[in-house]
Amino acid sequence: RSLTLPATSTTVTTTSEHKFPHAVKAPHKNVVYFVPMNIDVIGKLDVESETFSELRFSSLTGKTQNYQGGTVVGSKIYMTPMHKNHIGVFDTETEQYSTIQVYSSSNPQNMVAGPAALIGTKLYACPSTAGDVMAVIDTTTDTLDETIALDAVPNYMQYRFMGSYAVGDKVICVPFGRFDTGIGIYDTTARTWTRRNITDVVPDQESNGYYMYYEGCAAGDVVYFPGANR
């Protein structure tokens, strides 16, 4: 069945597409929060009463290209930046919103796609057009821990990876741009970066444009990611 979001006194109807790219359940209550992309509110859905509301913050500005993914750590949702230089942080207990400055681009575009990966208390964000660097966030202090320089990643129109997934102590980066981007693998213990070339598996990259795979999930020691223009 479907649930219609209310149109009265809401900005939900003012944008036609890509309102909320990601939904995340609060860890300690039956509430789902919607990560904002082309909208300047965080959506809130009480799943028991099926009541939808919008949470507005003066520092959450701009109705286009805000965030693309959300990762829950404790009571907080960490939202990865699209056309932003920061990671958004939303506390589901206090319902307060803040940001963590990460990049310094004068024109941020599609910086990170998909969610960040949690290993221990740190979040790892595989880059899309943020360049050949992996951002690491310390969730105990909500600060940028470091940026890890990666070997040059082949890309198409600057698109590199779509989502970051944790398997043990490794971060798996899903190919987003052309096929020769490969699968990125960062070992957080050995602090080594490698890529698994996949042109032997999917050699017909030209027929699929620049969206190769989209967000997936980790199950045990396997990462599954679905095709986009596949």
Side-chain angles (χ1 to χ4, degrees):
R1 62 193 180 90
S2 64
L3 177 64
T4 302
L5 303 184
T8 305
S9 301
T10 180
T11 60
V12 168
T13 57
T14 63
T15 181
S16 61
E17 60 182 15
H18 305 309
K19 300 175 181 69
F20 303 111
H22 206 104
V24 183
K25 183 191 176 300
H28 306 302
K29 53 186 176 181
N30 289 327
V31 173
V32 172
Y33 292 97
F34 298 159
V35 173
M37 182 186 283
N38 290 345
I39 198 167
D40 58 357
V41 299
I42 292 174
K44 177 183 178 180
L45 177 66
D46 185 313
V47 299
E48 293 180 350
S49 64
E50 294 192 342
T51 302
F52 177 80
S53 57
E54 297 172 343
L55 305 178
R56 290 180 170 81
F57 305 93
S58 59
S59 54
L60 177 54
T61 59
K63 294 183 179 180
T64 59
Q65 321 301 340
N66 284 305
Y67 303 110
Q68 280 201 288
T71 304
V72 173
V73 182
S75 66
K76 297 177 180 178
I77 301 171
Y78 292 81
M79 301 178 289
T80 49
M82 192 174 183
H83 291 11
K84 303 291 184 183
N85 277 322
H86 63 257
I87 282 179
V89 183
F90 178 72
D91 192 320
T92 63
E93 289 294 316
T94 63
E95 292 196 335
Q96 294 300 306
Y97 163 83
S98 59
T99 61
I100 303 172
Q101 190 72 20
V102 177
Y103 308 105
S104 58
S105 172
S106 60
N107 183 31
Q109 300 283 318
N110 300 300
M111 304 299 279
V112 176
L118 177 66
I119 297 180
T121 60
K122 295 182 180 180
L123 283 170
Y124 296 80
C126 300
S128 183
T129 67
D132 298 323
V133 295
M134 177 178 288
V136 184
I137 301 299
D138 186 334
T139 62
T140 63
T141 59
D142 280 353
T143 58
L144 176 65
D145 186 72
E146 63 176 326
T147 52
I148 300 170
L150 309 176
D151 293 337
V153 179
N155 58 82
Y156 180 61
M157 296 175 63
Q158 300 301 310
Y159 292 98
R160 290 170 176 79
F161 300 109
M162 179 52 157
S164 318
Y165 299 92
V167 176
D169 61 352
K170 294 181 175 63
V171 180
I172 308 301
C173 304
V174 175
F176 184 17
R178 288 167 58 101
F179 293 19
D180 51 12
T181 298
I183 298 170
I185 306 165
Y186 181 71
D187 187 316
T188 61
T189 300
R191 293 183 63 86
T192 55
W193 167 256
T194 56
R195 287 188 306 109
R196 163 67 165 90
N197 188 299
I198 56 174
T199 53
D200 58 323
V201 181
V202 280
D204 57 334
Q205 64 177 346
E206 296 295 346
S207 66
N208 287 273
Y210 55 87
Y211 291 115
M212 181 179 174
Y213 292 113
Y214 219 70
E215 293 181 30
C217 68
D221 60 354
V222 178
V223 178
Y224 297 87
F225 34 94
N229 293 5
R230 298 278 305 141

